Amino acid sequence: VRINMLRSRLLVRLCVLSDFKARARWLYSSGVYLAKKETAESSDDESYEMPKAVGSHESPSFLHDPLAMKFINCMMWDGKKSLSLRIFNEALHSLKRIQFSSPVAEKETVDPLVMFHQALENAKPLIGTIGIKKGGRTYQVPVPLQQKRQQFLAIKWLITAARERKGLGMGKKLAAEIMDAYNNDGTVIKRKQDLHRLAEANRTFAHFRW
């Protein structure tokens, strides 16, 4: 009798447990179905993309300037980014001092960062040349430059001109080159014009691009 009672209690517990598992499976399946349905409905309106981690060079500050950071990275030597950043900030301070020391008092001062952007825009070449071999000879064929190539050449010329300029301190030399390029004058603008003249002189070979 005792064995029968234990057996009946065990059967009741198994029934309750099986009923609980069935309910759990039903809830899980219904939840998955609803989730799939919501995903299908939302995918019609917009595609879902996995978020990517922010790069170490990014910053949430409103003072963050991607072009300035690119310029600083291009000017950096031996991984000394702090030195490159200090030189760039010194150049911006020198630009502001040059404006305040100007004899023209009525002239409005311009943000040095705006001057830097305008200097790079003035230094960007629109057309360049590439070497193409035809019949055993290499011709300099004029081609329009892409935006990335224009930016790279402007940054490269500005840094090279500042390093080759005679004077004391890289920050002051860089500020002088930025001021010259901002006024459409100086070594960087001359290199841009020379490249345009070279492309113009070789315009008869433009058909070699194809």
Side-chain angles (χ1 to χ4, degrees), residues 4 19-20 30 33 43 49 66 72 75 120 124 131 137 141 153 156 169 175 184 192-193 204 210:
N4 292 334
D19 186 40
F20 175 77
S30 60
Y33 171 73
S43 63
E49 294 182 359
I72 290 168
M75 189 169 53
L120 283 183
K124 285 181 181 179
R137 290 183 59 186
V141 180
L153 289 176
K156 177 185 174 183
N184 277 317
K192 169 189 170 182
Q193 293 173 352
T204 54
W210 299 278

Side-chain angles (χ1 to χ4, degrees), residues 172-188:
K172 294 181 179 179
K173 294 191 290 185
L174 181 60
E177 288 296 335
I178 291 175
M179 180 65 75
D180 289 343
Y182 177 75
N183 295 323
N184 277 317
D185 194 10
T187 309
V188 180

